[in-house]
């Protein structure tokens, strides 16, 4: 057989892991104008292989973001027998593995619990130890035993806020010595009664603050930001409405999930944390993440770019609890109260507030939390660089010191005072129509609500069998469709309102309507 003298070197190809496929998809998302042929060449794959990856985009993202790193490093996922038992046992293990008890969690207890689940699911065949070994390998469980602590998990007990100010606890010193301010993150959950109007809060204050007291209007929010306030991570909102009508065909400004109790679970938290770890990996950053040591915050994760530091649930050293959440809720309540006051001045009965309004407003409130507030919250709980820490952050190559100066409390002080005064005026005017509690009570009305879901064997089985209490919809507030003509009219109405304000309306506010109209014209030109 004749062969040509001229031939190109055969490209060396190999099957990509799920993590590598995820990286390709992320690259395409950040470089939308790059040709698919060039993308395939960059990652040394065939164009038709790239097409296959794009077709399975949703499955790949779900596998990487919702499973352990062990799964992400696989090239193919084999079919698992007893899939329902696998999910139920993993949920049970995550709930029980690190709670101090007398019961030892080992291979024997795993196979006993697995067979209990198997019987509940109606399986006649019993599970053997080989299946348990594969279960541990699938989910990256190397040691299964009861322990009060875990390697890499650091806990510290802090007696008072005053002690934090006098001297930073050891865990804080370790973090400061090993990470720059922009690479120190903290995250924590808070409950929010998103539909709690001012006039409803007066009677509610005497009730028990629980999920049962506000079943349809409660959400859990995961707040996360770094130490210098330069990276406020998009809020993670957990509601109890799986697919609200108002969300349809919209790109939400927050990361949204749902379950029956609108609470944080291990699975939801792990998926969020893996997503965050992937983002840090793509940015080439190694960061610290400060968390409370609660049942939802899994200690089983093996992350590449995020080192986890756990604090006791009652610790006063958690930065997010140092005033960031309070400031976020203050801004949210101000937005809601402002719109409620506007309705009072027209027709109070026409005022409606659905979950989409709440999500948009909480995102807007998050934008109003300033880096100054964030820096001061970290400082309040002891995250202050001393001379020793500063010396550790000197670059040996160019002998330059990182900028560690934080905004002082006085900076933006006038702006914060103005915000508080505006809110007090709104509250006072609402008080002329409704019977209201104190403003402080209203802002803090959802403090102390449970934000972490607890599982027992019964609801683990219900979770796996699909017998859930999640609602796939919500009460509709009328037609949610919005025409382009409606938006044009709304923009013209804003223009007229701005003109009526005269010199009190800044020029840049007036220019926003002009810029937004140009955007609407672009949208109009693309309508088919």
């Amino acid at each position: 057989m004749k062969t040509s003298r001229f031939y190109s070197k055969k490209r060396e190809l190999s099957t990509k892991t799920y993590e590598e496929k995820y990286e390709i998809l992320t690259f395409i998302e950040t470089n939308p104008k790059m040709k698919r042929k060039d993308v395939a060449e960059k990652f040394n794959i065939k164009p038709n292989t790239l097409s296959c990856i794009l077709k399975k985009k949703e499955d790949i993202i779900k596998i990487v973001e919702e499973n352990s790193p062990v799964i992400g490093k696989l090239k193919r996922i084999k079919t698992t027998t007893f899939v329902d038992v696998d999910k139920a046992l993993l949920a049970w293990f995550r709930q029980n593995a690190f709670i101090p008890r007398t019961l030892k969690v080992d291979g024997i207890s795993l196979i006993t619990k697995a067979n209990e689940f198997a019987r509940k699911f109606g399986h006649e065949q019993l599970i053997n130890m080989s299946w348990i070994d594969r279960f541990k390998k699938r989910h990256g469980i190397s040691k299964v035993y009861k322990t009060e602590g875990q390697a890499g998990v650091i806990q510290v007990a802090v007696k008072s806020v005053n002690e934090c100010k006098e001297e930073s606890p050891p865990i804080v010193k370790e973090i400061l010595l090993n990470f720059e301010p922009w690479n120190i993150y903290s995250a924590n959950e808070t409950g929010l009664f998103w539909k709690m109007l001012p006039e409803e809060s007066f009677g509610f204050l005497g009730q028990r603050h629980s999920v049962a007291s506000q079943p349809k209007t409660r959400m859990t929010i995961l707040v996360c930001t770094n130490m210098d306030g330069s990276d406020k991570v998009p809020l993670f909102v957990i509601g109890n409405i799986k697919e609200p009508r108002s969300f349809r065909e919209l790109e939400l400004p927050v990361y949204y999930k749902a379950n029956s109790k609108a609470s944080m679970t291990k699975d939801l938290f792990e998926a969020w944390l893996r997503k965050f770890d992937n983002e840090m990996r793509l940015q080439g950053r190694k960061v610290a993440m400060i968390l409370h040591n609660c049942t939802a915050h899994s200690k089983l994760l093996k992350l590449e770019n995020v080192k986890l530091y756990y604090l006791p649930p009652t610790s006063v050293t958690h930065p997010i609890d140092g005033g960031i959440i309070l400031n976020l809720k203050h801004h949210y309540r101000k937005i809601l109260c402002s719109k409620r006051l506007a309705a009072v001045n027209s027709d109070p009965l026409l005022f409606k507030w659905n979950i989409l309004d709440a999500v948009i407003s909480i995102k807007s409130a998050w934008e109003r939390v300033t880096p100054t507030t964030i820096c001061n919250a970290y400082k309040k709980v002891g995250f202050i660089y001393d001379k020793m820490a500063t010396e550790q952050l000197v670059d040996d190559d160019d002998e330059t010191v990182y900028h560690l100066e934080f905004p002082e409390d006085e900076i933006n002080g006038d702006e914060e005072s103005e915000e508080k005064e505006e809110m007090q005026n709104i509250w006072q005017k609402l008080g002329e129509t409704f019977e209201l509690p104190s403003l402080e009570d209203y802002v803090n009305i959802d403090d102390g609500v449970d934000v972490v879901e607890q599982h027992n064997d019964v609801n683990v089985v219900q979770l796996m069998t699909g017998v859930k209490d999640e609602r796939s919809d919500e009460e509709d507030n009328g037609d949610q469709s919005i025409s382009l003509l409606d938006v044009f009219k709304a923009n013209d109405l804003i223009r007229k309102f701005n003109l009526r304000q005269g010199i009190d309306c800044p020029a840049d506010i007036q220019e926003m309507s002009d810029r937004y109209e140009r955007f609407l014209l672009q949208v109009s030109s693309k309508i088919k």
Side-chain angles (χ1 to χ4, degrees), residues 244-517:
R245 291 193 187 114
S246 54
F247 283 8
R248 292 174 184 172
E249 299 181 359
L250 296 180
E251 187 71 30
L252 295 179
V254 300
Y255 181 53
Y256 181 85
K257 294 292 181 180
N259 57 49
S260 60
K261 296 182 179 179
S263 56
M264 180 62 77
T265 65
K266 278 183 177 290
D267 290 339
L268 290 178
F269 181 75
E270 286 187 6
W272 175 84
L273 199 50
R274 286 194 189 96
K275 186 172 183 291
F276 178 79
D277 183 58
N278 280 321
E279 290 172 357
M280 294 299 103
R281 179 173 58 84
L282 293 173
Q283 295 177 28
R285 297 170 63 188
K286 298 284 186 179
V287 304
M289 175 65 75
I290 305 164
L291 301 167
H292 270 320
N293 186 17
C294 68
T295 54
H297 296 166
S298 175
K299 304 177 183 66
L300 298 179
L301 287 178
K302 296 179 181 178
L303 305 174
E304 295 181 3
N305 291 66
V306 180
K307 183 174 181 180
L308 304 179
Y309 291 86
Y310 292 89
L311 300 172
T314 57
S315 173
V316 296
T317 60
H318 202 295
I320 293 294
D321 297 337
I324 297 173
I325 286 177
L326 178 62
N327 193 253
L328 171 66
K329 288 186 178 182
H330 183 276
H331 288 299
Y332 176 81
R333 302 293 186 197
K334 182 181 178 182
I335 294 170
L336 177 55
C337 288
S338 298
K339 295 184 178 182
R340 183 59 177 141
L341 180 60
V344 167
N345 293 330
S346 55
D347 188 348
L349 298 178
L350 292 179
F351 183 77
K352 293 181 179 179
W353 189 258
N354 63 18
I355 192 170
L356 178 60
D357 297 322
V359 165
I360 292 173
S361 296
I362 197 66
K363 187 259 184 182
S364 178
W366 186 223
E367 290 179 349
R368 299 183 189 190
V369 178
T370 65
T372 301
T373 299
I374 293 170
C375 290
N376 288 335
Y378 273 85
K379 289 167 61 178
K380 181 180 178 182
V381 296
F383 282 80
I384 303 171
Y385 278 91
D386 55 19
K387 183 178 180 181
M388 181 179 67
T390 304
E391 290 173 353
Q392 292 288 332
L393 292 174
V394 175
D395 192 321
D396 295 333
D397 295 332
D398 55 15
E399 297 184 352
T400 57
V401 180
Y402 292 104
H403 296 287
L404 303 176
E405 294 296 327
F406 290 133
E408 296 296 333
D409 294 352
E410 291 77 12
I411 297 179
N412 288 341
D414 294 338
E415 182 180 341
E416 290 183 5
S417 298
E418 187 178 343
E419 281 271 353
K420 291 179 180 178
E421 185 178 350
E422 289 175 357
M423 182 62 178
Q424 194 65 51
N425 290 337
I426 294 170
W427 194 251
Q428 185 176 351
K429 291 177 182 178
L430 282 170
E432 297 173 2
T433 304
F434 305 110
E435 186 176 10
L436 303 176
S438 69
L439 177 57
E440 183 180 0
D441 286 341
Y442 178 62
V443 173
N444 298 314
I445 199 166
D446 35 36
D447 280 2
V449 298
D450 295 331
V451 294
V452 176
E453 184 178 26
Q454 300 291 336
H455 287 311
N456 54 35
D457 287 3
V458 174
N459 55 32
V460 164
V461 173
Q462 289 178 344
L463 188 66
M464 299 307 127
T465 54
V467 184
K468 299 182 182 179
D469 199 21
E470 293 177 3
R471 290 173 293 145
S472 61
D473 226 320
E474 65 170 328
E475 295 81 3
D476 203 359
N477 289 332
D479 187 6
Q480 296 293 338
S481 60
I482 302 174
S483 69
L484 189 60
L485 179 60
D486 291 334
V487 183
F488 270 113
K489 289 180 178 179
N491 195 45
D492 290 337
L493 187 63
I494 293 173
R495 270 204 183 106
K496 294 175 184 176
F497 178 81
N498 292 341
L499 292 173
R500 286 182 182 177
Q501 307 310 307
I503 60 174
D504 292 334
C505 184
D508 58 338
I509 297 295
Q510 298 179 26
E511 291 172 1
M512 285 182 185
S513 294
D514 296 332
R515 293 204 302 270
Y516 192 67
E517 186 173 74

